Amino acid sequence: MIKRLLLALASASVLLINTGHAEESPDTDLVLLTENFPPYNMAKNGKNFAQDENINGIATDIVREMFKRAGITYSLTLRFPWERVYKLALENPGYGAFVMARLPDREKLFKWVGPIGPDDWVMLAKADSKITLETLNDARKYKIGAYKGDAIAETLTKQGLKPVVVLRDQDNAKKLVSGQIDLWATGDPAGRYLARQDGVTGLKTVLRFNSAELYLALNRDVPDEAVAKLQAALDQMRKDGVVDEIMGRYL
């Protein structure tokens, strides 16, 4: 009886160990993570969790074709919030996250494939706003909304602008219209796309303060050979006009 009990406990332990490592050791080369960041990545059902074919968007379609051409297998999961996605990609071998702005302080933290698309940084205001800005410094006297964990919010914070952050960037569109914030610091075209999804139109750009490029960021332990294959595939897609074709589906 005791022997059978010990065997059962041993089997249960093995099952728990295997289950615990299921996500960490998938039957794929890489584990890719993303977030809801329309029009680049988004869950088809609009929720904050989706997997594989239930995710679409400009970057998602580009990444799928890129991995297909490179002959590298992957799993794809959309999660929330972005801070968690970033941390998982940073700390776990075989993981990657997209789309991510390639900033100087992130350069050595990841291996990069891209650029996948542009992400200009803008300050948006209501259509009837009297706010005019010449430089980012001019925005200090206003209440600025931004997206928590995003590169834009991080940059504004480092420069002492103290943005009011939210967990979903699209919430800033309605906060702007309702007067809870004076300016919305966001990406273009992402911000306008999000605003339209929530029925907010007519916002105007009062400052364009940075131009960034968005990338696939891979954990430092991902083999250089895999990174090179993916970059070569993306470069060829751009030459073939495939990247422009994919962008045209959404914009």
Side-chain angles (χ1 to χ4, degrees):
M1 177 69 179
I2 294 176
K3 185 177 180 180
R4 286 199 299 271
L5 179 59
L6 289 173
L7 286 171
L9 288 172
S11 298
S13 298
V14 171
L15 180 60
L16 287 172
I17 291 171
N18 290 337
T19 302
H21 289 278
E23 185 177 352
E24 297 176 9
S25 302
D27 294 327
T28 58
D29 291 301
L30 295 175
V31 177
L32 300 183
L33 303 175
T34 190
E35 61 165 341
N36 268 319
F37 182 54
Y40 284 109
N41 344 293
M42 45 198 166
K44 290 182 179 179
N45 60 11
K47 295 183 179 180
N48 284 317
F49 181 83
Q51 291 182 298
D52 299 316
E53 297 305 318
N54 293 314
I55 308 167
N56 62 4
I58 293 171
T60 305
D61 291 356
I62 290 173
V63 167
R64 280 200 180 101
E65 180 63 21
M66 186 166 62
F67 272 76
K68 179 182 176 182
R69 292 186 179 209
I72 299 174
T73 60
Y74 65 95
S75 64
L76 176 57
T77 302
L78 182 148
R79 293 185 179 279
F80 174 83
W82 171 250
E83 288 174 304
R84 181 185 180 193
V85 170
Y86 182 96
K87 190 171 187 292
L88 285 168
L90 179 65
E91 297 178 353
N92 291 277
Y95 275 60
F98 69 92
V99 283
M100 189 184 296
R102 188 172 180 174
L103 304 176
D105 57 352
R106 292 175 175 173
E107 183 66 31
K108 295 181 179 180
L109 299 179
F110 299 94
K111 293 182 179 179
W112 303 90
V113 179
I116 292 175
D119 183 36
D120 287 350
W121 294 1
V122 297
M123 289 285 184
L124 297 180
K126 293 190 295 184
D128 59 354
S129 174
K130 304 300 182 184
I131 295 175
T132 59
L133 304 176
E134 293 294 330
T135 67
L136 194 57
N137 192 56
D138 296 337
R140 291 183 182 277
K141 59 185 176 181
Y142 299 106
K143 186 177 290 186
I144 305 168
Y147 175 32
K148 185 177 181 181
D150 182 57
I152 298 175
E154 291 176 0
T155 299
L156 294 179
T157 299
K158 288 177 181 177
Q159 296 192 26
L161 272 75
K162 300 179 181 179
V164 179
V165 296
V166 294
L167 292 177
R168 301 188 325 142
D169 201 21
Q170 54 264 50
D171 292 342
N172 282 311
K174 290 185 176 179
K175 288 182 69 176
L176 185 61
V177 172
S178 66
Q180 296 178 63
I181 56 176
D182 304 309
L183 296 166
W184 176 16
T186 186
D188 186 23
R192 295 181 185 279
Y193 183 93
L194 289 172
R196 285 198 301 272
Q197 295 299 105
D198 270 12
V200 177
T201 58
L203 301 180
K204 66 179 181 180
T205 301
V206 294
L207 181 68
R208 193 172 297 272
F209 61 98
N210 190 36
S211 291
E213 293 284 359
L214 301 174
Y215 284 72
L216 165 63
L218 298 170
N219 184 272
R220 294 292 302 173
D221 285 342
V222 172
D224 289 340
E225 181 184 0
V227 179
K229 284 183 178 179
L230 290 167
Q231 186 64 59
L234 179 59
D235 291 344
Q236 190 59 51
M237 287 168 59
R238 187 164 278 111
K239 290 180 181 177
D240 294 345
V242 174
V243 171
D244 287 340
E245 178 190 341
I246 290 172
M247 286 192 170
R249 298 176 196 165
Y250 295 90
L251 300 177

